[in-house]
Amino acid sequence: MRDSVLTIGTATMDVLLNVPYAPNGGRVVNSKDRYSFTPGGNGAYTAVAVSRSQTASTLLSRVGEDEQGDRLIRYLKDDDVDTNFIVKDPVNQTGLSVYLLEEYGLGGGVNFKGASAKVSCNNVETAFRSEPAVVTANLEADGEVLNYTASLCREYGLPLILDTVGAYENVRLHTLDGDNIIITGDKEIEILTGIRADSTQNYLRACIALFDKMPLRFAVLKLGTKGAYIYDGKYCELLMSPGLQIVDTTAEHQCFVGAFCSDFLRNYEVDKAAKYALAASNLAASKVGGFASIPTKAEIDNILD
């Protein structure tokens, strides 16, 4: 087994269009300036965050046999992400997201998951040949694929770090038996538990509700500018955010997940990993862009020092 993180998630291309306002009611507006293609997808962001924190990073995803798929793989390779387990889909196109950027923020978008939504159990089994030490996946994955991932983690004695991006009501978390750590945002935890994360009392109530839903070693509740709350079934701790000015949250959450996985693999201490991830995600949110905003380990260490 090598000291690496296997990320199971989406890899897509993003198209960015600058518009004066988002149209509605059948209207058409002209995009100004230049449009641009940038790499995206929650799996890709997480894998790059792992790699930039100087941990071996492998991504399992699917792209189409097309120009955008080739471009995505090149971007990931440039960030030292192991792309050997990215499957080229002969039928489905590479996933694509189109975002309308208004002067004062995101004006809306359209998401086409394409090939990235077709990851199979066979793909997961093959990707475990990378011999990871930690596996991370999110709730965007097909339920059968997620259950199979959890079963392989149990078989190999690996921790599964579950990201609740893609959370939906009545998701079957109880089937994900194993040595699990869950990372959730405040919106997702309300979807999963019905509890609004708006006070320290409710942070604890929500985490206890998660422990009731699935076997967990730790719950990590990510609270944006308010920091993070961690709970192990007995003890809890509220960690403060570095407090940098927020500019763009495109890759902020996935940066937290990737940085957490990287630091957890170094010391297996959840509180230290959460503090490191808070610094990483806050740095990402203080810059514009997806891949461009994800910080290096040196930048994160500088904030922590």
Side-chain angles (χ1 to χ4, degrees):
M1 183 184 298
R2 66 193 185 103
D3 290 338
S4 68
V5 175
L6 169 62
T7 300
I8 301 171
T10 57
T12 62
M13 287 299 295
D14 294 346
V15 183
L16 308 180
L17 296 170
N18 292 291
V19 296
Y21 60 88
N24 57 42
R27 295 182 179 181
V28 175
V29 297
N30 291 320
S31 176
K32 55 184 180 179
D33 303 321
R34 295 168 59 89
Y35 65 82
S36 58
F37 286 89
T38 64
N42 289 324
Y45 289 145
T46 301
V48 168
V50 170
S51 181
R52 290 190 187 174
S53 282
Q54 297 183 5
T55 297
S57 177
T58 300
L59 176 62
L60 166 60
S61 192
R62 289 177 74 101
V63 297
E65 289 186 345
D66 50 36
E67 179 184 353
Q68 300 304 335
D70 291 340
R71 184 184 292 186
L72 259 175
I73 290 173
R74 288 197 299 271
Y75 275 120
L76 291 162
K77 283 183 175 179
D78 287 345
D79 257 299
D80 294 323
V81 174
D82 181 354
T83 61
N84 288 320
F85 300 96
I86 295 181
V87 179
K88 286 199 167 185
D89 191 319
V91 177
N92 298 284
Q93 294 174 288
T94 298
L96 189 71
S97 296
V98 179
Y99 293 109
L100 303 179
L101 304 180
E102 296 177 325
E103 183 178 354
Y104 298 105
L106 180 64
V110 178
N111 184 38
F112 169 69
K113 290 187 177 181
S116 67
K118 304 298 181 181
V119 171
S120 68
C121 293
N122 286 338
N123 297 152
V124 174
E125 184 173 5
T126 300
F128 267 70
R129 295 176 188 170
S130 65
E131 299 184 340
V134 169
V135 178
T136 183
N138 62 50
L139 294 178
E140 289 180 324
D142 174 81
E144 184 180 356
V145 167
L146 201 54
N147 286 335
Y148 188 62
T149 300
S151 70
L152 286 180
C153 286
R154 291 196 302 272
E155 180 180 341
Y156 291 103
L158 304 177
L160 172 62
I161 296 177
L162 180 65
D163 173 14
T164 63
V165 157
Y168 53 93
E169 291 183 5
N170 301 319
V171 61
R172 297 176 63 189
L173 294 176
H174 67 276
T175 61
L176 303 177
D177 192 18
D179 183 19
N180 301 319
I181 295 171
I182 196 167
I183 297 176
T184 181
D186 50 4
K187 293 180 181 178
E188 290 79 13
I189 204 166
E190 186 172 358
I191 293 171
L192 294 172
T193 68
I195 299 170
R196 181 171 294 180
D198 56 5
S199 67
T200 53
Q201 181 180 3
N202 281 345
Y203 302 160
L204 179 58
R205 288 180 60 230
C207 287
I208 290 172
L210 283 178
F211 268 71
D212 289 339
K213 286 181 175 289
M214 68 181 295
L216 287 172
R217 187 202 302 190
F218 269 93
V220 180
L221 174 53
K222 185 179 148 298
L223 300 164
T225 57
K226 291 183 282 188
Y229 186 88
I230 58 177
Y231 177 68
D232 68 355
K234 292 183 179 179
Y235 303 102
C236 57
E237 183 178 2
L238 179 61
L239 307 173
M240 303 308 294
S241 170
L244 301 179
Q245 183 177 358
I246 303 302
V247 175
D248 181 357
T249 60
T250 299
E252 182 255 352
H253 179 83
Q254 301 312 131
C255 183
F256 183 99
V257 175
F260 181 94
C261 291
S262 174
D263 199 73
F264 179 74
L265 184 53
R266 278 192 280 269
N267 55 53
Y268 290 91
E269 295 181 28
V270 169
D271 58 340
K272 287 184 178 180
K275 289 174 183 176
Y276 180 86
L278 268 177
S281 62
N282 211 207
L283 274 168
S286 72
K287 295 183 284 186
V288 175
F291 274 30
S293 73
I294 299 172
T296 64
K297 185 176 185 298
E299 292 174 307
I300 300 166
D301 288 341
N302 184 54
I303 289 289
L304 291 172
D305 290 341

